[in-house]
Amino acid sequence: MKLFALLIVVFSFTISFAQTDGLKLKNALVIGQLDKADDRYSIEIALTEILTNAGVKAIPSLNILKVGSDVQMLVLDSVQKIVTNKGIDTYLTVSVRGYDRKFKRAESHDNLKTALSVGHLFPLYRDEITSISFEFTFYREGQFMGTDIVKCGNVSNRDTVLKRFKKKTAKRVRKWL
């Protein structure tokens, strides 16, 4: 009976962390889903830099869209054709999941169009927070591929958030390759 319980625990643990294991990330269009433009650009640039250093061809969405454009334009056929011509087939969205370390991955597996239409209320930093959780969602050909969460603790200002984000995400990228 103990062996059976152990097998169930191991199996469920493996399933919960296997969402990004078979991803084999080679390229990505990085899409920051944050309300404030400066937060969005900061996260996109930081994540693009991390992915490029890991050997992944990455482009921030701000290189595709005009400044201030709505990210929902990325689902238009003409824009997707431009992205495909640049050799990108994976879309990677990053958003703030919340300010608690207890957040789990989202259960919804929406397509890219639906995911881009969802609003995100959390800014990159807010007074009196000590931790922040970022959610990464991967799409290929507009379909959901996987999701992952990076939790950053001990943050005290916006610069600390970005510093912790870079450090934690650089380690996590290895699982996406």
Side-chain angles (χ1 to χ4, degrees):
M1 185 66 174
K2 288 181 182 179
L3 180 61
F4 181 70
L6 179 65
L7 286 173
I8 288 178
V9 169
V10 169
F11 180 71
S12 63
F13 183 76
T14 304
I15 288 174
S16 68
F17 287 101
Q19 288 200 8
T20 56
D21 286 349
L23 195 59
K24 297 182 180 162
L25 189 64
K26 302 284 184 220
N27 58 62
L29 177 69
V30 178
I31 306 164
Q33 291 187 294
L34 298 156
D35 286 338
K36 295 170 97 180
D38 58 335
D39 289 347
R40 177 180 163 208
Y41 299 145
S42 295
I43 286 295
E44 283 187 13
I45 295 299
L47 186 54
T48 301
E49 194 175 287
I50 292 165
L51 291 171
T52 303
N53 289 341
V56 176
K57 180 180 180 181
I59 301 173
S61 70
L62 60 100
N63 283 7
I64 302 295
L65 300 174
K66 292 180 181 176
V67 174
S69 295
D70 188 9
V71 293
Q72 291 184 27
M73 291 182 64
L74 291 170
V75 296
L76 298 175
D77 290 338
S78 58
V79 176
Q80 287 190 351
K81 193 173 189 177
I82 292 169
V83 173
T84 303
N85 288 340
K86 290 185 180 267
I88 304 293
D89 67 353
T90 304
Y91 292 74
L92 168 57
T93 64
V94 59
S95 61
V96 174
R97 182 87 162 122
Y99 303 110
D100 192 354
R101 295 183 63 97
K102 298 176 185 170
F103 282 100
K104 305 290 183 210
R105 293 183 184 116
E107 295 296 322
S108 64
H109 302 297
D110 297 327
N111 61 17
L112 180 63
K113 184 176 183 177
T114 305
L116 292 178
S117 68
V118 174
H120 295 277
L121 304 173
F122 299 116
L124 191 57
Y125 178 75
R126 179 165 76 181
D127 288 338
E128 300 180 15
I129 64 166
T130 58
S131 67
I132 186 168
S133 297
F134 294 94
E135 183 171 41
F136 303 90
T137 311
F138 301 88
Y139 300 91
R140 281 203 184 116
E141 298 175 10
Q143 298 304 313
F144 175 83
M145 293 298 295
T147 186
D148 202 358
I149 285 193
V150 169
K151 301 171 187 180
C152 303
N154 198 20
V155 296
S156 58
N157 57 40
R158 187 176 185 278
D159 291 335
T160 308
V161 170
L162 288 170
K163 180 181 172 184
R164 300 261 191 273
F165 173 82
K166 289 177 182 179
K167 182 177 179 181
K168 293 268 190 163
T169 305
K171 292 179 182 177
R172 185 60 60 95
V173 166
R174 295 181 203 134
K175 290 185 175 185
W176 303 342
L177 303 178

